[in-house]
Amino acid sequence: MTARFAVFATAIGPCAIAWHGEAEEGVAGSALPAAEVSALRALMRRRFDGAEEVSPADAPASVRVAIGAVQRLLAGTTADHRELLAIVLDERGVPAFDRRVLALTRQIPVGRTQTYGELATALGEPGAARAVGRAEGHNRFAPIVPCHRVMGAGGAPTGFSAPGGLETKRRLLLIEARAAGQLAADQQALF
């Protein structure tokens, strides 16, 4: 089945979203902004072997709903993570452990964080913090799966594989903190 993707505007720059066919199986992937939109397009074509780009207006209705949810999240106009939870993900090819990690990550509320160790413990595998980190690093659904809400030991911001690295992570968390009605002091370890 041919993959398609669309590039769409957000408050922090153009993002992308991909799906197969008419998206009955869900969103196949999404991406945070890259330094240049051409790099974002190249990333989506690499991830989804020759995917065809279409206009967001030509995307299936479920994909347009997902685009709107991502736009609201990145604009800081939603404090409800359940809007993103409603987006169905096409997780074909995602290993079972990674699926479990991503499912837990989706449960982290806007404006909140958890550590890799806390997620490992919640999975019933308290020694698996590094495996959780690897799963987050392979997340192909950012920011629908908000891996930026996962921190290192003690709540310290750690590596972030999206373009812009830790600065992007901090920026996303600040947007979400404001949306949740928090002050920067509530996120002191980040700033």
Side-chain angles (χ1 to χ4, degrees):
M1 189 178 305
T2 303
R4 292 184 175 82
F5 74 95
V7 173
F8 59 96
T10 74
I12 67 168
C15 288
I17 192 164
W19 65 94
H20 294 99
E22 290 303 310
E24 292 93 5
E25 296 86 15
V27 170
S30 53
L32 290 165
E36 296 185 15
V37 75
S38 60
L40 185 61
R41 287 182 170 111
L43 170 70
M44 297 308 279
R45 287 187 177 107
R46 269 192 320 276
R47 278 189 188 171
F48 300 100
D49 195 26
E52 171 191 355
E53 182 176 3
V54 300
S55 162
D58 294 330
S62 62
V63 173
R64 291 192 312 270
V65 167
I67 288 170
V70 170
Q71 288 172 320
R72 286 185 291 282
L73 176 75
L74 299 180
T77 60
T78 185
D80 189 351
H81 72 286
R82 292 175 295 184
E83 185 175 11
L84 294 175
L85 274 173
I87 298 169
V88 176
L89 301 179
D90 178 351
E91 296 179 307
R92 283 181 279 181
V94 177
F97 179 82
D98 292 16
R99 287 181 187 198
R100 291 175 52 216
V101 170
L102 299 181
L104 274 179
T105 302
R106 292 184 85 189
Q107 298 292 329
I108 303 170
V110 172
R112 295 278 186 77
T113 60
Q114 288 190 328
T115 66
Y116 298 108
E118 288 169 336
L119 288 178
T121 298
L123 287 169
E125 301 188 37
R130 287 187 181 186
V132 168
R134 279 190 296 279
E136 299 289 4
H138 292 115
N139 174 19
R140 69 179 193 214
F141 302 103
I144 296 167
V145 175
C147 55
H148 60 276
R149 296 182 194 150
V150 184
M151 311 298 270
T158 56
F160 191 57
S161 59
L166 283 178
E167 187 53 38
T168 297
K169 184 173 193 157
R170 284 186 183 98
R171 185 176 184 193
L172 293 170
L173 291 170
L174 181 58
I175 290 167
E176 292 186 6
R178 288 181 183 146
Q182 299 172 354
L183 302 173
D186 295 332
Q187 297 279 336
Q188 193 58 45
L190 300 174
F191 306 103

